[in-house]
Amino acid sequence: MTESEGWPGLAGQLTDFGHVLPVRVYFEDTDFSGVVYHASYLRFLERGRSDFLRLIGVSHQALATSSVPMAFAVARLAIEFRKPARIDDVLKIESRVVDLGAATIRLAQTVRRDEAVLASAAVSVVLINSVGRPRRIPEEIAEKLRRRSKP
Amino acid sequence: MTESEGWPGLAGQLTDFGHVLPVRVYFEDTDFSGVVYHASYLRFLERGRSDFLRLIGVSHQALATSSVPMAFAVARLAIEFRKPARIDDVLKIESRVVDLGAATIRLAQTVRRDEAVLASAAVSVVLINSVGRPRRIPEEIAEKLRRRSKP
Amino acid sequence: MTESEGWPGLAGQLTDFGHVLPVRVYFEDTDFSGVVYHASYLRFLERGRSDFLRLIGVSHQALATSSVPMAFAVARLAIEFRKPARIDDVLKIESRVVDLGAATIRLAQTVRRDEAVLASAAVSVVLINSVGRPRRIPEEIAEKLRRRSKP
Amino acid sequence: MTESEGWPGLAGQLTDFGHVLPVRVYFEDTDFSGVVYHASYLRFLERGRSDFLRLIGVSHQALATSSVPMAFAVARLAIEFRKPARIDDVLKIESRVVDLGAATIRLAQTVRRDEAVLASAAVSVVLINSVGRPRRIPEEIAEKLRRRSKP
């Protein structure tokens, strides 16, 4: 992993409720209808979750190359698209943990432009080993997520 | 629109229940965890819906360039990921209409490899005009979709 | 790897000059300018190369899981974009081997709509091992590619 | 366009030679071979060009909705892939103008991790109108680009 020193804020910020990440809309995110392609929002949400984990000290690379290789995988996702995002927009991806199971993290995630909610999602993420079996989330990671969970 | 003459089956097939489309998994669809990236399934589902519409006579280009420009937009989507798909796999995207409103089509979509269900989704699609307002689905399109809806 | 039986033509066809693959343009491939996003062509070209290899008997999965894990990686690519492709188009991806080195395959690839050339590319692909070192292309693969190379 | 106030650095920085943008590698950018998918680099390069233009005062949205709608389109691109990038990496996308024609901008772009060059590209971008015809680059934009061109 390369240090992002010199680019403060690249991984967004931890907040009272969890984490927020700014995301710029580029050509690649849009489609011929003129607005952001619906599946692009899932990429934005994943960036938010990755950087949330990063800022509490968990990197995908470290998980993948640990003595017991692990990875977070999306198990379930529901998303509502309310308003379209457009080229050049700066979106805020907000992530909060709503429930923490043995192997599962349930998050509520929101895509905003200024204060307007463009999309909102409920996402279940499972920690799995190299053959896809759920694995207990290490207590140190769980503890850090719990501290960021809304009561 | 270019004719796909000479490539029968490129747009999949209408079936008793709706539509089925074969989709090959390429490099672009996978991620470093070794399996298909979760957001790629949304692209596959969208291909299935597009080709379902295509085979009942509706093209995105025709909608976009009609006297009243229209487009189908995803309003709501819930997806469950059950088993991973891998590079080189041939997946079947099955689409069926479960409900038809004035401006909204609700579909059930399934991603299979042979008989195994890898992912299943409930998707609501809305016909909108050029400023994003819902529009009544033209009766000829509705009629064709109704004929493909499971009772 | 799943059999594509029942979907003849899904992997395109071997031809006198090499290989041709039909590719449909979907929402995911376009951008807000109304036409196909420039990087989407690289995905189309990669599909063509993958299916060319597939039809001469080489699968990515087999390479990756062989006793000496290998993969084809793009080393160099030059592409010229001549005319835009649009939603709903059916494109033909033509691939021909122009030179075959110990570890390197050089291909000429063309994207057409009917007879019009939309994009043309020169691509160098290298066979690498799991730490990224070039590996000699197995003679049986080289032989099959040679038979498809234009004199 | 939404203001990115509160997220300084989101669009990278103008430099002596042109522009530099930090880009994080996420799941979406990688493929099953374990490293970044080759076409993802084109998306990164496009983000660099977009933010370069943004910081000298040109937005895609403003061009697209001006009295004579215009857009920048890639006409030609050559890229060499030297070393792989990996999940969690922070890459630097460096962009410099090497030549400025009436309707065409030629850029040299480099993808680095720390000081290592992972990929380098030569890209020709053309300003086109709504039917795809080249258009003279407005003098105020040309002047700003000229000031950022290496002698």
Side-chain angles (χ1 to χ4, degrees):
Chain A
M1 185 171 52
T2 302
E3 289 310 307
S4 54
E5 241 104 55
W7 301 104
L10 187 62
Q13 291 173 359
L14 293 174
T15 63
D16 282 352
F17 62 78
H19 180 263
V20 63
L21 178 74
V23 164
R24 172 78 67 181
V25 176
Y26 295 104
F27 266 85
E28 62 184 277
D29 306 309
T30 61
D31 69 36
F32 89 107
S33 74
V35 299
V36 168
Y37 181 58
H38 78 290
S40 299
Y41 292 86
L42 270 69
R43 296 165 43 230
F44 300 163
L45 296 175
E46 191 270 318
R47 296 183 199 172
R49 294 191 305 272
S50 285
D51 283 334
F52 187 178
L53 288 169
R54 190 182 325 280
L55 290 191
I56 62 170
V58 184
S59 84
H60 294 307
Q61 197 144 293
L63 286 172
T65 59
S66 73
S67 60
V68 183
M70 290 174 286
F72 281 106
V74 178
R76 198 168 291 102
L77 183 149
I79 182 166
E80 196 187 334
F81 301 96
R82 302 199 200 165
K83 289 168 201 256
R86 294 174 195 281
I87 189 80
D88 298 328
D89 280 353
V90 175
L91 309 177
K92 278 180 296 186
I93 313 301
E94 297 174 349
S95 304
R96 63 191 80 207
V97 175
V98 292
D99 191 52
L100 199 60
T104 304
I105 310 170
R106 286 203 305 117
L107 299 107
Q109 295 191 281
T110 306
V111 179
R112 288 180 196 269
R113 184 180 49 216
D114 302 324
E115 289 318 299
V117 174
L118 306 192
S120 55
V123 185
S124 290
V125 173
V126 181
L127 189 64
I128 56 172
N129 65 13
S130 58
V131 295
R133 295 269 162 228
R135 272 198 50 95
R136 177 170 283 278
I137 297 170
E139 182 50 30
E140 61 180 292
I141 298 179
E143 173 53 28
K144 283 170 177 168
L145 288 170
R146 228 173 269 124
R147 247 182 289 150
R148 293 284 160 187
S149 305
K150 269 229 150 145
Chain B
M1 187 171 52
T2 302
E3 287 310 305
S4 54
E5 239 105 55
W7 301 104
L10 186 63
Q13 289 173 0
L14 292 175
T15 64
D16 281 352
F17 62 78
H19 180 263
V20 63
L21 178 73
V23 165
R24 173 78 67 179
V25 176
Y26 295 104
F27 267 85
E28 64 185 276
D29 305 311
T30 62
D31 68 37
F32 89 108
S33 73
V35 299
V36 169
Y37 181 59
H38 77 290
S40 299
Y41 291 86
L42 268 69
R43 295 164 44 229
F44 300 163
L45 296 175
E46 190 269 319
R47 295 183 201 173
R49 294 191 305 271
S50 285
D51 283 334
F52 187 178
L53 287 170
R54 189 181 326 280
L55 291 191
I56 61 170
V58 183
S59 84
H60 294 307
Q61 197 144 294
L63 285 173
T65 58
S66 73
S67 59
V68 183
M70 291 174 285
F72 281 106
V74 178
R76 198 169 290 102
L77 183 149
I79 182 165
E80 196 186 334
F81 302 96
R82 303 199 198 165
K83 291 168 199 253
R86 294 173 196 282
I87 189 79
D88 298 330
D89 280 353
V90 175
L91 309 178
K92 278 179 295 184
I93 313 302
E94 296 174 350
S95 306
R96 63 192 78 208
V97 175
V98 293
D99 191 53
L100 200 60
T104 303
I105 309 170
R106 284 203 307 117
L107 299 107
Q109 294 191 281
T110 307
V111 179
R112 289 180 194 270
R113 184 180 49 218
D114 301 325
E115 289 318 299
V117 173
L118 307 191
S120 55
V123 185
S124 289
V125 173
V126 180
L127 189 65
I128 55 172
N129 65 13
S130 58
V131 295
R133 296 268 160 227
R135 272 198 49 97
R136 177 169 283 277
I137 297 170
E139 182 50 29
E140 61 179 292
I141 299 178
E143 174 52 29
K144 284 169 176 170
L145 289 169
R146 225 173 271 124
R147 248 182 289 149
R148 293 285 160 186
S149 306
K150 269 226 151 149
Chain C
M1 187 173 51
T2 301
E3 289 310 306
S4 54
E5 240 106 53
W7 302 104
L10 186 62
Q13 290 173 1
L14 292 173
T15 64
D16 282 351
F17 62 77
H19 181 263
V20 63
L21 178 73
V23 164
R24 172 79 67 180
V25 176
Y26 295 104
F27 266 85
E28 61 184 280
D29 305 310
T30 61
D31 68 36
F32 90 106
S33 74
V35 299
V36 168
Y37 181 58
H38 77 290
S40 299
Y41 291 86
L42 269 69
R43 296 164 43 229
F44 299 162
L45 296 176
E46 190 270 317
R47 296 183 200 173
R49 294 191 304 272
S50 285
D51 283 334
F52 187 178
L53 287 170
R54 189 182 325 281
L55 291 191
I56 62 170
V58 184
S59 84
H60 294 308
Q61 197 145 293
L63 286 172
T65 58
S66 74
S67 60
V68 184
M70 290 174 286
F72 281 106
V74 178
R76 199 169 289 102
L77 184 149
I79 183 166
E80 195 186 335
F81 301 96
R82 302 199 199 164
K83 290 169 200 255
R86 294 173 196 283
I87 190 80
D88 298 328
D89 280 353
V90 175
L91 308 177
K92 277 179 295 185
I93 314 301
E94 297 174 349
S95 305
R96 62 191 80 206
V97 175
V98 292
D99 191 54
L100 199 60
T104 303
I105 309 170
R106 285 203 306 116
L107 299 107
Q109 294 192 281
T110 306
V111 179
R112 289 181 195 268
R113 184 180 49 217
D114 302 324
E115 289 317 300
V117 174
L118 306 191
S120 55
V123 185
S124 290
V125 173
V126 180
L127 189 65
I128 55 172
N129 65 14
S130 58
V131 296
R133 295 270 161 226
R135 271 198 49 96
R136 177 169 283 278
I137 297 170
E139 182 50 30
E140 60 178 293
I141 298 178
E143 173 53 28
K144 284 171 177 168
L145 288 169
R146 227 173 270 124
R147 246 182 290 149
R148 291 285 160 186
S149 305
K150 269 229 152 144
Chain D
M1 187 171 53
T2 301
E3 289 309 306
S4 54
E5 241 106 54
W7 301 104
L10 187 63
Q13 290 173 359
L14 293 175
T15 64
D16 281 352
F17 62 77
H19 180 263
V20 62
L21 178 73
V23 164
R24 172 80 67 181
V25 176
Y26 295 105
F27 267 85
E28 64 185 275
D29 306 311
T30 62
D31 68 36
F32 90 107
S33 74
V35 299
V36 168
Y37 181 58
H38 77 291
S40 299
Y41 292 87
L42 269 70
R43 296 164 43 230
F44 300 164
L45 296 176
E46 190 270 317
R47 295 183 200 173
R49 294 191 304 272
S50 284
D51 283 333
F52 187 177
L53 287 170
R54 189 182 325 280
L55 290 191
I56 61 168
V58 183
S59 84
H60 294 308
Q61 197 143 296
L63 285 173
T65 58
S66 73
S67 59
V68 183
M70 291 175 285
F72 281 106
V74 178
R76 199 169 290 102
L77 183 148
I79 182 166
E80 195 186 334
F81 301 96
R82 302 199 198 166
K83 291 168 199 255
R86 293 174 196 282
I87 188 80
D88 297 330
D89 280 353
V90 175
L91 308 177
K92 277 179 296 184
I93 313 302
E94 297 174 350
S95 305
R96 62 191 80 208
V97 175
V98 292
D99 191 54
L100 199 61
T104 303
I105 310 171
R106 285 202 307 117
L107 299 107
Q109 295 193 279
T110 307
V111 179
R112 289 180 195 268
R113 185 180 47 218
D114 302 323
E115 288 318 299
V117 173
L118 306 191
S120 55
V123 185
S124 291
V125 173
V126 181
L127 188 65
I128 54 172
N129 65 14
S130 58
V131 295
R133 295 270 162 224
R135 271 199 49 98
R136 177 169 283 277
I137 298 171
E139 182 51 30
E140 60 178 296
I141 298 179
E143 173 52 29
K144 285 170 176 168
L145 288 170
R146 228 173 269 124
R147 248 182 288 150
R148 293 284 159 188
S149 305
K150 269 228 154 143

